[in-house]
Amino acid sequence: MGLSAAAPLWGPPGLLLAIALHPALSVPPRRDYCVLGAGPAGLQMAYFLQRAGRDYAVFERAPRPGSFFTRYPRHRKLISINKRYTGKANAEFNLRHDWNSLLSHDPRLLFRHYSRAYFPDARDMVRYLGDFADTLGLRVQYNTTIAHVTLDKDRQAWNGHYFILTDQKGQVHQCSVLLVATGLSVPNQVDFPGSEYAEGYESVSVDPEDFVGQNVLILGRGNSAFETAENILGVTNFIHMLSRSRVRLSWATHYVGDLRSLRLNSGNAFGKKYPLIRASYESKGSRGLFILGTASHSVDYRKSAGGFIHGFRYTVRAVHRLLEHRHHSVTWPATKLPITQLTSSIVRRVNEASGLYQMFGVLADVILLKENSTAFEYLEEFPIQMLAQLETLTGRKAKHGLFVINMEYGRNFSGPDKDVFFDDRSVGHTEDAWQSNFLHPVIYYYRYLPTEQEVRFRPAHWPLPRPTAIHHIVEDFLTDWTAPIGHILPLRRFLENCLDTDLRSFYAESCFLFTLTCQKLPPFCQQGYLRMQGLVSTESLRQHRVESRLLRDYAPTGRRLEDSSQQLGDQEPLGSPLAPGPLAQSVDSNKEEL
Amino acid sequence: MFSGFNVFRVGISFVIMCIFYMPTVNSLPELSPQKYFSTLQPGKASLAYFCQADSPRTSVFLEELNEAVRPLQDYGISVAKVNCVKEEISRYCGKEKDLMKAYLFKGNILLREFPTDTLFDVNAIVAHVLFALLFNEVKYITNLEDLQNIENALKGKANIIFSYVRAIGIPEHRAVMEAAFVYGTTYQFVLTTEIALLESIGSEDVEYAHLYFFHCKLVLDLTQQCRRTLMEQPLTTLNIHLFIKTMKASLLTEVAEDPQQVSTVHLQLGLPLVFIVSQQATYEADRRTAEWVAWRLLGKAGVLLLLRDSLEVNIPQDANVVFKRAEEGVPVEFLVLHDVDLIISHVENNMHIEEIQEDEDNDMEGPDIDVQDDEVAETVFRDRKRKLPLELTVELTEETFNATVMASDSIVLFYAGWQAVSMAFLQSYIDVAVKLKGTSTMLLTRINCADWSDVCTKQNVTEFPIVKMYKKGENPVSYAGMLGTEDLLKFIQLNRISYPVNIISIQEAEEYLSGELYKDLISYSSVSVLGLFSPTMKTAKEDFSEAGNYLKGYVITGIYSEEDVLLLSTKYAASLPALLLARHTEGKIESVPLASTHAQDIVQIITDALLEMFPEITVENLPSYFRLQKPLLILFSDGTVNPQYKKAILTLVKQKYLDSFTPCWLNLKNTPVGRGILRAYFDPLPPLPLLVLVNLHSGGQVFAFPSDQAIIEENLVLWLKKLEAGLENHITILPAQEWKPPLPAYDFLSMIDAATSHRGTRKVPKCMKETDVQENDKEQHEDKSAVRKEPIETLRIKHWNRKSDGITLEEDSE
C-alpha cells in the first residue's frame, strides 16, 4: 500500500500535541465514538462499532470511502497480494494470503470477489471500500472535513475530557473517544541545492512520454521509487537511483513495506512521519485518542504488517476489544476450555489464524490458566507489548500462569542485505526447532504475568520478557503444523512439563483400568471418561493398540496353567504391563517402541 | 565340499572372534601376479585384489581390505594385494585404474569376482566372501514358496535358521554368515533380503534384521508347521551363537537335586534357570505346564522340572517355582506364581537389568521423547491407511451446512482432521452409519473444522470432537454420551421420537409401561419413565417436560395428565405428582414421589433410578456408579455371576448392610481389562471368583474377601463387620501419585542460552575472502555430520559474510 498521502490535517504529530483546551460553549451533538477517515482502517473500526451496537460516526472529507486510492499509488497497481486460491478451504487461513479484504462476517465482502489480479488495481480497492461501507450500512458522514479538534475537560467524560470536532461548515461534534484513521499525510520535504528542481511522488507525471530521452535522478529506493523507475525505464537515457541506505528487499527483511518485486516504498524519517502512540494504539498525550491504520505503524514499524490493510485490520479489532472492556465492561472475548483441549487449541490456531501470522511479534494469543490448571481461557490477538497490563485491559485474571503464542522468524534470520537463501537454513529436526528460520509458532510460558519493567527491559531482540520456558514448533514450508510426531508431540511434552501433568489421551478402557487401580486420574480420563464421555476404541484401533504395545491385550485366549491345586486365570499374550503407576507405564511403553 | 574349512569351523571360538573386531596389525601381503598364483593351494580359498602398480598406495578400499585379513584368515581364507606390473600381464589386471576388481579363488579356480564398490567395508568383505563360499549351506530365497519348500523338505530331518537382513554386506549379514560358517552343516541356513517375505510370516518391526529358529526336526506330521522361535537380541555374531546354543540345549530337563547345585548350559551362557516344582500326584499336569513355559522361555532361560518328592533338601512348602540367576553366588529364589505369564514376566523383568547395561554403550539416551506415547495418537496413526466407508456420511461444507441441517433432521460430527481423538471417534461414527444404513430418517453428516473453521465457530464448536443433533423446529442438541458406537447409536435411535411422550389414555399408559408402545426402542433404554400429574399441575408438568427433553436420547420419558390420572396413581400407589419407573428387563414398575419439581431434581431422580442394585460393572457404566463416591464392592467373575452369590449380595442389600458401598460384579469375559485390575490387586492371583472392596475415594485401600471362604451371607456379614472394626488388613493400597509428564520436553531455553554464551566467547573473523568461504562451504558439504555438530550461530555468520551475488547495486555512502 502506498504511504505518502495528502490528508488535510491529520498525520503530523505536531498537530496532535497542539490540541488546545477549549471551554464548551454550547451542547453540541455527542457521540461515544468518532472515527476520522473512511479509509480501510476507519471502515474497519466502524464495522466493529456497528456490530457491537455502539454510538459512533465516521467523518470523511471525500464523497466516497478510500479517497487515498483514487490517487495513489500513482501507477495504479497495488502491491498487496490477492491470492485467490490457496488450496485450502479454511476462510481464516486464506486471509493469510488475502492482503486487501477487511474483516467482516459477510463472505461476499472478500476482495477476491473484486479482482482477479494478484497485484490488484487501485480502482478495485475504491470500489471494494465503497461496497463495504454500503453493504454493512456503516454510518459515514461524507464531505465532512474536520478542520479543528479541541479538548474539553469534563469529569463526567469517559476519559476526563471530550474531543470537540469542528467541521468545515462550523458544525461541532462532541466525542468521548476519537479514533484517527486518516493515513499519513505529509510528503517528505527535501532540502539541498537544486531541490527546487525535484518533483514529488505525489505530483510526478505518470505518463512515460514526459520523460523521453531524459536523464532522471530518483531520490529514494523504496517501493515508490522503483514503481516510478519501472514506469519510465523504456524511454529514458539514464536513471540514477540514490538513497541513504542500501536496498531492502522484503524477502530479505520479511517486512512488507520493503521492496517486493522492486516496488513502492515510503521514505524513512520515522520520527517525523509517525505519531507517538502506545502499544495499545492510544496516544501518549491524550487519553481516549487512538491512532488506527497506516499511521499506527509506529508500533511495529519495519517489523510487522501494522501499516497495511492485512495488518491493521487485526490491530483495529484489538483496539475495539480494549474499548469494549474499558467503556462497556465487556471482557476480552475468550473461550474457556478444559485442559485436555490445550494442545489442540494451540494447534488449531497456529495452523489457521491469520492475525497471528500477519501481525507476528505484535499481536499474540494468550492462554490464561485456571486454578490447578484444569481449564484455561484462550484470548486471541492481544497486543503483546501490553502484556503486563493484560488484567486491567481485558478484565481477565492471569493468576495461575499463562502461555503466549507468538509467530516469529529466526532471531538472526532476516535483515537488510542478509542472504536468506543460505545453505542449511531450514531446520527439520524437532530438537533444533529453536533454530527455525521461517515464520513459526513460539510458545512462551510464564508462571506469573510479567511486570511492565520486565516487558520494557526484556533481553535485546526478544519480543517478550524471558519466560519460564519456551517452545518453538519447528518451521514448516507450508505452514502446516499438524504432524503427529514432528509438531504435536513435542508441543504436548512442552505443555505437560510446564503444567506438570500428563496431557495424553486415553481410550475408555484405559481410563477404566486407571479408575480402579489408581487413586488419581490423568486429566483426559477425569474430564472425559468420568463425565461419561469416554472415547471408546473400535476393534481395528484396539488391534493397533495391542500391536503398538501401548496396552496389554486382556482378551482371554483360553490356555490355562494346569497347576496342581490352584485354578488359575487365563493366560494372556505378552504386552507392556500397564502398571498402575503412571510413570512406570509411560516409560515401559516407550521402551517397547524403541 | 569345503572340507578344508571344517577343521577350522570346529575350533573357532566366538569369544576370540570378538577380539578380532579390533584393529589388526596383520598387513596385507603384496605380490606380483605370478608369485600370487604360485601360492594358491588346492582346496584353499583366497581373495586377491588386483591393482595397478602405479595406483595410490592407500585407499579406503585397501584400508578395509587390510582390516579383513585377520578375520578371513580365521576362516582359512588368505588375502593378498596383487600388483599388476608391466612385465607380467595377467587377465585379472584391469585396463584402467578404476576398473580394478577383487577375485575369490578356491585352489586355482575362480569362484567369484567382486567390483570393489560391493566390498565397501570390512563387514561387506567378510560377508561377501563367506556368502560365496557357503553357497550350499546358505540358501538365498526371495519368496514364501521357497521357504515353505525348504521347510517341508526338512521336516523330521533338520532345523532351519532363517534370517532376514536389510541388505547383503551389512554387519548383520556378516554375523549370519559367520554363524553359518560354524553351524552350516548342522542347520539349514536360509537368508532373505525381501521385506515382504518377512512380513508374510507375520513379523513385526520389519525394519530390523530378524533371525528365526525353525524347529522342524521335531515335526513328524508333514501337515504341521514347524515351531518358530524369534531371536530377540540384535543380530551380532555372539548373540546368534548364544541363541543357537540355547536352541540346542534340551527343552526340559527333570532334576531331583538341590536347585542351588544344578548347572546347565544356560547358566554358562548367562541365562537364568526356572524350576517348576512338581510332585508325583500332579506330575503329568506339571510336566505339561513346564513344557509350555519352556517353549515360551526358549532362548531366554533354561526350564527344569524339579521333583519335590525325591528331593533331599527342603524347599518352602508353598513354592511352586524356583528361580536361579545366572550370576554366581546369588541364592535361588522360591516363588509362588500361579500364572504362566507371571513366570515369564518374572524372568523377563530379571533379565532387563543386564540388557540395559549392555545397551548403555550403543544408546546413551534414555527413553526417546520423540516416540509417541499417546495411545490414541499412535493407534490412529497406525490405522491411517485403512479406508473407511466415509461415503455413508455426508460431508458438509460452508456452502452446504445450513441447507442440509435445515432440510432434514441431521446428526453432525464436528471434527478436525489433524486431531487424533477426533479421528478415533470418526471410526465409531462411521460404524454407526454402517449400522443405520438405510434404516434411519436421521441424516448422518460430518464437517472437518480444519477446513471449515468458520462454520464450526458459528455453531459454537470450540473443541473437538463434538456431535450435534439438528431437528426441525428445535434448538440443536449436543450429544453428551460416550464417544463410541453403542451409545451414539442409542442416542440416535431414542431420538426418533420427541420427549416426553404425551400419553393420552389409560390403555396407552399401560402399553407404555409394559414396553409394548415403543417395543423397538426399549432395547436402548432399559427403563421407561412416566410422569403422572393432575391436569392442573402446570409448573410441575413444565418442569417434567424440561427434564424429559434434557434426557432425550438417554432414557424414554412420557407424561400423563388426563382427568382420570387418579386411576393410575391409585393402581401404582403413587401420590401426585409422581414418577412411574418401568424396568423392562425385570418387568417391575416402581413409583417415586416427586417432592421437588425442579427440572434439575427430576433429572437427578431419573438418573439415580437408572442405577441398578447389583449391576455388572463395565467400561461404559463405571462412571455413573463411581459418581456415588462410595467404596466399590466388586465380585470378579469369569463369566456370568453365580446366582447364589448374586442372591447373597442382594439379600445383604435389602438388609441395608451395603448402604455405604456400591456392590457390583465384573464379568472378565465381557470386560477383559478386569484382569489388569486383578493383577494390580493380587500377587499371586487366587482363583476366581474374587470379592474385593476398593476404597477409591478415600485412601485407596483394597480388601479381599478371603478366597477360602464361601460367598454366603453369614461370611459376608462377618467380613464386613471385621472391616468396619478395622480388623481386616488391606491387600494393597492403590498408588496415589499424580499424573506427571510422562517424559521431559526439549529445553529450548537452555539451548538458546548456551548458544548465546557460546557466541559471546567465540570470535568469528569479521571478513572472509571469497576463496576462504568457498573452501569452507566445500568442507561443509563433504562432512554433513560436522555441520550439525557445529553451533549453528557461527555457521550463519559465515554465510552472511559472504557477499550477496543475487543483486549488486551501487552502494551509497551512509
Side-chain angles (χ1 to χ4, degrees):
Chain A
M1 208 183 94
L3 289 179
S4 303
L9 239 177
W10 283 102
L15 271 175
L16 291 182
L17 303 172
I19 291 168
L21 295 179
H22 188 276
L25 298 173
S26 58
V27 185
R30 184 183 292 170
R31 300 218 180 263
D32 288 347
Y33 297 96
C34 295
V35 182
L36 295 191
L43 293 180
Q44 185 68 81
M45 185 44 110
Y47 168 75
F48 289 118
L49 291 169
Q50 173 120 333
R51 290 287 282 181
R54 301 298 165 214
D55 172 36
Y56 79 95
V58 182
F59 302 105
E60 168 60 45
R61 69 186 159 85
R64 290 294 290 156
S67 61
F68 171 87
F69 293 98
T70 57
R71 186 170 163 82
Y72 296 99
R74 297 298 314 281
H75 303 90
R76 308 314 287 142
K77 207 176 237 187
L78 299 178
I79 59 161
S80 44
I81 61 168
N82 174 41
K83 193 167 163 60
R84 297 160 74 228
Y85 303 103
T86 62
K88 292 208 185 191
N90 190 314
E92 173 70 20
F93 174 88
N94 286 345
L95 281 174
R96 290 183 178 184
H97 302 284
D98 171 355
W99 291 11
N100 299 293
S101 295
L102 294 178
L103 303 176
S104 81
H105 59 283
D106 189 343
R108 289 171 303 168
L109 289 173
L110 286 171
F111 196 79
R112 65 186 157 94
H113 302 308
Y114 287 80
S115 170
R116 289 160 174 269
Y118 189 69
F119 290 112
D121 193 285
R123 277 177 291 262
D124 291 328
M125 179 54 82
V126 177
R127 192 161 58 87
Y128 172 73
L129 294 174
D131 273 9
F132 189 86
D134 297 346
T135 311
L136 296 166
L138 303 179
R139 294 193 282 276
V140 185
Q141 296 184 14
Y142 295 106
N143 303 312
T144 306
T145 307
I146 300 301
H148 195 53
V149 177
T150 56
L151 273 186
D152 182 7
K153 267 205 173 160
D154 189 329
R155 286 190 182 191
Q156 303 291 308
W158 287 354
N159 292 300
H161 49 243
Y162 289 107
F163 298 92
I164 308 297
L165 276 53
T166 314
D167 66 22
Q168 81 275 19
K169 294 177 204 146
Q171 173 76 42
V172 173
H173 308 267
Q174 193 183 34
C175 311
S176 301
V177 174
L178 182 60
L179 300 145
V180 179
T182 49
L184 288 169
S185 53
V186 189
N188 277 323
Q189 297 301 324
V190 285
D191 185 19
F192 57 88
S195 61
E196 61 272 27
Y197 304 112
E199 180 115 47
Y201 173 71
E202 65 282 356
S203 58
V204 71
S205 165
V206 294
D207 185 357
E209 290 297 314
D210 295 343
F211 299 92
V212 171
Q214 298 188 27
N215 293 342
V216 181
L217 172 71
I218 299 178
L219 302 180
R221 274 188 188 161
N223 282 323
S224 304
F226 275 94
E227 175 202 322
T228 306
E230 192 187 69
N231 190 42
I232 59 175
L233 197 61
V235 296
T236 51
N237 297 338
F238 285 106
I239 298 177
H240 296 280
M241 298 181 75
L242 190 70
S243 88
R244 272 186 270 201
S245 56
R246 64 188 58 172
V247 167
R248 297 162 187 262
L249 293 169
S250 69
W251 67 65
T253 59
H254 297 294
Y255 171 69
V256 290
D258 281 333
L259 279 170
R260 290 181 303 107
S261 67
L262 308 185
R263 282 190 174 275
L264 185 147
N265 182 33
S266 77
N268 24 46
F270 177 79
K272 265 190 256 167
K273 193 160 155 182
Y274 295 105
L276 288 172
I277 53 174
R278 297 173 200 281
S280 60
Y281 300 93
E282 188 165 14
S283 156
K284 283 190 177 168
S286 323
R287 192 175 151 91
L289 174 69
F290 289 85
I291 310 297
L292 308 177
T294 302
S296 70
H297 198 21
S298 60
V299 169
D300 64 346
Y301 184 69
R302 288 228 163 280
K303 283 185 206 128
S304 208
F308 310 86
I309 294 178
H310 66 279
F312 64 61
R313 61 191 180 201
Y314 305 103
T315 57
V316 166
R317 181 161 64 186
V319 169
H320 175 250
R321 285 170 175 167
L322 294 173
L323 289 169
E324 283 289 299
H325 178 246
R326 185 193 277 182
H327 299 305
H328 311 285
S329 305
V330 177
T331 46
W332 189 284
T335 318
K336 191 179 170 187
L337 292 169
I339 206 74
T340 49
Q341 293 285 330
L342 183 60
T343 316
S344 289
S345 63
I346 295 175
V347 173
R348 180 185 187 180
R349 283 287 292 168
V350 300
N351 276 295
E352 68 179 29
S354 58
L356 278 188
Y357 182 89
Q358 308 286 21
M359 289 306 293
F360 61 89
V362 178
L363 300 180
D365 285 0
V366 179
I367 290 172
L368 302 176
L369 293 162
K370 294 281 163 192
E371 204 169 353
N372 299 326
S373 304
T374 52
F376 64 92
E377 287 177 333
Y378 200 110
L379 282 66
E380 294 177 1
E381 295 165 19
F382 181 79
I384 46 169
Q385 291 316 311
M386 301 303 287
L387 190 62
Q389 294 93 326
L390 179 128
E391 291 193 335
T392 50
L393 290 178
T394 64
R396 306 223 169 241
K397 293 278 164 272
K399 294 274 173 286
H400 306 286
L402 64 149
F403 292 100
V404 178
I405 294 104
N406 187 33
M407 301 284 271
E408 292 175 18
Y409 281 97
R411 287 271 154 71
N412 290 308
F413 179 56
S414 51
D417 210 28
K418 284 182 174 173
D419 175 13
V420 296
F421 297 109
F422 62 80
D423 298 339
D424 289 334
R425 67 176 184 157
S426 73
V427 171
H429 298 268
T430 47
E431 72 264 35
D432 300 333
W434 62 282
Q435 296 169 333
S436 293
N437 294 309
F438 292 94
L439 197 59
H440 64 282
V442 183
I443 296 121
Y444 293 75
Y445 172 63
Y446 296 97
R447 252 186 219 116
Y448 310 100
L449 195 63
T451 62
E452 270 190 79
Q453 289 283 307
E454 285 166 340
V455 174
R456 193 172 309 152
F457 300 109
R458 62 185 186 267
H461 313 299
W462 283 62
L464 282 165
R466 189 183 166 83
T468 311
I470 196 166
H471 182 70
H472 289 250
I473 301 182
V474 71
E475 64 192 358
D476 186 279
F477 288 103
L478 300 171
T479 64
D480 180 350
W481 288 286
T482 58
I485 301 287
H487 302 133
I488 301 177
L489 177 66
L491 174 64
R492 166 167 66 82
R493 295 216 190 283
F494 167 74
L495 299 171
E496 282 172 334
N497 281 279
C498 291
L499 304 178
D500 200 28
T501 189
D502 185 332
L503 293 178
R504 285 178 294 175
S505 43
F506 295 97
Y507 288 109
E509 200 179 22
S510 299
C511 292
F512 176 79
L513 179 69
F514 300 152
T515 309
L516 290 171
T517 55
C518 305
Q519 291 193 47
K520 306 257 165 70
L521 286 183
F524 191 86
C525 293
Q526 230 168 49
Q527 299 181 349
Y529 178 69
L530 278 194
R531 294 186 182 159
M532 288 168 248
Q533 294 176 5
L535 178 67
V536 183
S537 99
T538 59
E539 196 41 52
S540 97
L541 291 172
R542 203 190 313 274
Q543 280 304 318
H544 284 293
R545 192 157 49 132
V546 173
E547 280 161 27
S548 72
R549 302 192 178 181
L550 282 165
L551 187 76
R552 188 179 203 131
D553 183 10
Y554 292 99
T557 51
R559 164 97 200 175
R560 284 180 183 226
L561 184 61
E562 294 161 280
D563 197 52
S564 41
S565 54
Q566 315 262 11
Q567 190 205 344
L568 293 161
D570 287 336
Q571 163 268 320
E572 294 124 40
L574 280 172
S576 139
L578 240 176
L583 199 67
Q585 191 254 325
S586 58
V587 170
D588 257 42
S589 62
N590 262 286
K591 198 167 279 157
E592 296 286 354
E593 280 209 356
L594 284 178
Chain B
M1 184 181 173
F2 301 107
S3 57
F5 300 148
N6 287 341
V7 184
F8 290 91
R9 283 182 183 178
V10 182
I12 285 179
S13 151
F14 277 79
V15 183
I16 295 173
M17 279 182 50
C18 292
I19 300 168
F20 292 162
Y21 282 102
M22 287 192 256
T24 166
V25 282
N26 261 40
S27 62
L28 190 63
E30 295 193 28
L31 306 165
S32 68
Q34 200 177 20
K35 190 90 189 287
Y36 172 71
F37 287 113
S38 71
T39 62
L40 295 179
Q41 295 168 30
K44 284 212 76 175
S46 171
L47 179 70
Y49 171 57
F50 286 77
C51 62
Q52 301 284 6
D54 54 348
S55 65
R57 306 225 62 181
T58 55
S59 71
V60 177
F61 173 70
L62 279 175
E63 277 170 29
E64 296 292 332
L65 188 66
N66 200 35
E67 229 175 283
V69 171
R70 270 301 286 269
L72 287 177
Q73 264 178 8
D74 290 313
Y75 299 109
I77 302 155
S78 59
V79 185
K81 178 189 172 201
V82 179
N83 293 322
C84 297
V85 284
K86 268 186 199 144
E87 332 43 282
E88 298 179 34
I89 298 298
S90 162
R91 63 193 172 98
Y92 298 108
C93 291
K95 293 218 169 62
E96 287 159 57
K97 263 183 226 165
D98 47 343
L99 284 178
M100 304 314 278
K101 286 177 175 169
Y103 297 88
L104 179 68
F105 296 95
K106 174 138 178 277
N108 43 25
I109 304 158
L110 174 66
L111 284 185
R112 277 287 299 275
E113 57 175 65
F114 301 106
T116 51
D117 58 349
T118 61
L119 306 181
F120 44 88
D121 68 0
V122 61
N123 291 317
I125 296 170
V126 175
H128 274 286
V129 168
L130 290 179
F131 198 26
L133 290 174
L134 299 174
F135 180 75
N136 280 0
E137 281 88 340
V138 181
K139 288 224 157 66
Y140 180 81
I141 59 165
T142 54
N143 57 52
L144 189 60
E145 207 187 335
D146 291 346
L147 183 62
Q148 281 161 345
N149 289 340
I150 297 172
E151 207 176 322
N152 286 333
L154 290 177
K155 277 176 189 166
K157 293 181 193 131
N159 294 324
I160 299 171
I161 291 170
F162 167 65
S163 53
Y164 157 81
V165 293
R166 279 170 301 159
I168 297 298
I170 61 172
E172 286 90 345
H173 180 221
R174 174 182 171 178
V176 172
M177 295 319 302
E178 287 181 324
F181 186 85
V182 179
Y183 294 106
T185 51
T186 321
Y187 305 106
Q188 177 62 56
F189 278 73
V190 179
L191 181 76
T192 190
T193 51
E194 294 298 319
I195 205 157
L197 175 53
L198 185 66
E199 277 170 337
S200 65
I201 69 161
S203 299
E204 286 172 21
D205 304 327
V206 287
E207 60 268 39
Y208 305 110
H210 277 61
L211 188 138
Y212 284 94
F213 193 95
F214 284 25
H215 305 265
C216 291
K217 205 172 178 176
L218 296 168
V219 179
L220 300 173
D221 177 1
L222 291 183
T223 57
Q224 220 183 328
Q225 260 213 333
C226 305
R227 240 176 216 278
R228 293 165 186 172
T229 307
L230 171 67
M231 178 176 134
E232 291 184 2
Q233 285 75 28
L235 255 65
T236 65
T237 312
L238 183 61
N239 284 342
I240 299 174
H241 172 67
L242 293 176
F243 178 70
I244 293 175
K245 280 259 182 186
T246 57
M247 293 299 116
K248 257 172 37 176
S250 63
L251 184 68
L252 181 67
T253 319
E254 282 183 24
V255 290
E257 52 185 304
D258 182 2
Q260 194 73 59
Q261 307 303 325
V262 173
S263 177
T264 70
V265 65
H266 297 96
L267 286 184
Q268 294 153 20
L269 296 173
L271 298 174
L273 293 182
V274 174
F275 298 83
I276 307 289
V277 182
S278 169
Q279 43 204 336
Q280 228 148 26
T282 57
Y283 173 77
E284 281 306 317
D286 294 339
R287 191 173 166 91
R288 277 200 299 277
T289 306
E291 268 177 25
W292 174 251
V293 173
W295 276 114
R296 293 278 302 270
L297 286 177
L298 195 58
K300 292 171 191 158
V303 179
L304 303 96
L305 196 65
L306 183 65
L307 305 167
R308 188 198 286 268
D309 301 315
S310 40
L311 201 60
E312 282 172 7
V313 288
N314 258 343
I315 60 169
Q317 198 53 46
D318 56 339
N320 62 356
V321 174
V322 183
F323 184 66
K324 184 176 170 148
R325 290 169 189 275
E327 296 87 350
E328 259 181 76
V330 182
V332 296
E333 294 166 51
F334 297 99
L335 307 164
V336 187
L337 300 170
H338 291 295
D339 190 321
V340 170
D341 276 327
L342 292 177
I343 302 174
I344 312 287
S345 61
H346 187 85
V347 172
E348 284 177 348
N349 292 342
N350 284 292
M351 289 171 68
H352 245 95
I353 312 155
E354 226 187 325
E355 263 177 42
I356 289 163
Q357 281 166 348
E358 245 176 60
D359 281 356
E360 264 175 355
D361 312 326
N362 310 335
D363 200 355
M364 52 260 140
E365 282 163 50
D368 192 344
I369 64 175
D370 285 333
V371 170
Q372 185 60 268
D373 52 1
D374 181 307
E375 59 178 17
V376 181
E378 179 65 16
T379 49
V380 166
F381 181 75
R382 280 173 183 250
D383 204 40
R384 69 195 183 282
K385 287 185 184 150
R386 201 164 58 89
K387 270 202 103 178
L388 294 172
L390 289 172
E391 66 282 358
L392 293 177
T393 57
V394 178
E395 186 175 11
L396 300 181
T397 67
E398 189 165 16
E399 287 78 38
T400 59
F401 186 90
N402 284 326
T404 309
V405 300
M406 281 188 341
S408 63
D409 292 353
S410 320
I411 298 278
V412 183
L413 167 65
F414 296 86
Y415 68 104
W418 46 263
Q419 196 215 27
V421 177
S422 282
M423 295 315 279
F425 180 54
L426 178 63
Q427 296 206 356
S428 299
Y429 190 71
I430 298 297
D431 283 352
V432 170
V434 170
K435 289 194 170 153
L436 285 176
K437 197 176 169 187
T439 66
S440 176
T441 52
M442 196 74 83
L443 188 66
L444 287 188
T445 69
R446 64 194 155 84
I447 184 161
N448 186 350
C449 297
D451 290 334
W452 308 104
S453 187
D454 286 5
V455 181
C456 303
T457 311
K458 269 182 206 145
Q459 298 300 318
N460 227 350
V461 171
T462 51
E463 57 186 282
F464 316 111
I466 291 279
V467 174
K468 285 194 178 199
M469 180 177 67
Y470 293 78
K471 271 182 146 182
K472 230 170 262 173
E474 291 178 30
N475 285 330
V477 180
S478 288
Y479 169 68
M482 290 278 273
L483 301 176
T485 312
E486 291 298 310
D487 288 66
L488 182 60
L489 190 63
K490 172 181 160 180
F491 178 81
I492 294 171
Q493 293 287 30
L494 287 179
N495 267 304
R496 276 163 28 194
I497 55 172
S498 40
Y499 299 97
V501 182
N502 206 16
I503 307 286
I504 48 162
S505 72
I506 295 283
Q507 195 201 345
E508 200 185 25
E510 295 290 4
E511 279 173 17
Y512 174 86
L513 292 169
S514 71
E516 278 297 304
L517 192 57
Y518 295 111
K519 236 186 197 159
D520 49 340
L521 291 186
I522 57 165
S523 60
Y524 301 105
S525 169
S526 60
V527 176
S528 294
V529 181
L530 185 62
L532 299 182
F533 304 93
S534 69
T536 52
M537 297 172 169
K538 243 187 129 186
T539 38
K541 281 199 288 188
E542 273 167 20
D543 286 335
F544 180 77
S545 295
E546 196 186 327
N549 187 46
Y550 179 85
L551 289 169
K552 68 181 172 195
Y554 307 99
V555 61
I556 299 176
T557 55
I559 186 165
Y560 189 73
S561 74
E562 299 298 317
E563 296 292 344
D564 55 359
V565 68
L566 276 175
L567 289 175
L568 275 180
S569 73
T570 322
K571 179 176 177 190
Y572 293 103
S575 56
L576 299 179
L579 298 182
L580 293 184
L581 304 166
R583 297 184 189 277
H584 301 300
T585 42
E586 297 159 52
K588 278 197 298 192
I589 295 169
E590 297 164 27
S591 71
V592 183
L594 272 186
S596 156
T597 61
H598 275 297
Q600 252 181 329
D601 298 329
I602 298 174
V603 167
Q604 191 62 53
I605 290 167
I606 295 175
T607 41
D608 286 350
L610 292 175
L611 300 181
E612 294 171 45
M613 265 189 287
F614 184 52
E616 180 195 337
I617 208 81
T618 61
V619 171
E620 286 74 23
N621 73 12
L622 175 68
S624 20
Y625 291 96
F626 185 85
R627 211 165 38 92
L628 304 173
Q629 301 267 318
K630 293 177 185 171
L632 287 166
L633 184 68
I634 316 174
L635 179 66
F636 286 87
S637 170
D638 193 13
T640 319
V641 68
N642 183 325
Q644 303 221 301
Y645 303 156
K646 187 172 176 177
K647 211 182 126 204
I649 288 172
L650 283 173
T651 312
L652 291 188
V653 171
K654 284 194 190 108
Q655 291 170 353
K656 307 269 176 207
Y657 278 107
L658 300 178
D659 280 1
S660 50
F661 308 115
T662 301
C664 56
W665 65 283
L666 189 148
N667 185 343
L668 288 173
K669 291 236 159 68
N670 295 339
T671 312
V673 68
R675 276 165 214 290
I677 297 166
L678 285 176
R679 195 162 298 156
Y681 296 168
F682 294 98
D683 182 28
L685 188 65
L688 290 166
L690 285 165
L691 184 64
V692 173
L693 184 79
V694 194
N695 196 353
L696 287 173
H697 298 279
S698 52
Q701 299 95 340
V702 180
F703 300 92
F705 179 73
S707 59
D708 52 358
Q709 287 185 23
I711 303 178
I712 51 169
E713 290 159 47
E714 299 81 60
N715 290 344
L716 288 171
V717 170
L718 201 66
W719 180 60
L720 290 172
K721 283 198 171 142
K722 275 164 84 181
L723 270 176
E724 203 177 4
L727 295 173
E728 278 287 320
N729 285 331
H730 54 78
I731 53 166
T732 186
I733 294 184
L734 301 182
Q737 71 244 59
E738 302 283 346
W739 286 77
K740 297 283 178 191
L743 286 174
Y746 290 115
D747 185 359
F748 289 141
L749 201 56
S750 302
M751 295 185 203
I752 293 167
D753 286 348
T756 317
S757 61
H758 193 92
R759 191 146 55 119
T761 52
R762 189 191 265 209
K763 282 214 166 167
V764 179
K766 234 194 161 181
C767 289
M768 272 189 190
K769 283 179 191 160
E770 195 79 28
T771 50
D772 289 345
V773 174
Q774 273 170 359
E775 269 172 27
N776 240 318
D777 277 353
K778 217 171 159 190
E779 273 167 35
Q780 284 160 12
H781 283 303
E782 271 169 16
D783 188 2
K784 281 273 173 199
S785 62
V787 173
R788 288 250 313 134
K789 274 172 199 140
E790 198 170 348
I792 206 99
E793 297 292 346
T794 58
L795 270 184
R796 284 211 196 113
I797 290 162
K798 281 181 199 165
H799 286 292
W800 285 332
N801 286 331
R802 223 162 104 186
K803 255 199 171 170
S804 157
D805 48 5
I807 292 150
T808 33
L809 281 161
E810 200 181 285
E811 190 93 327
D812 300 314
S813 54
E814 275 289 318

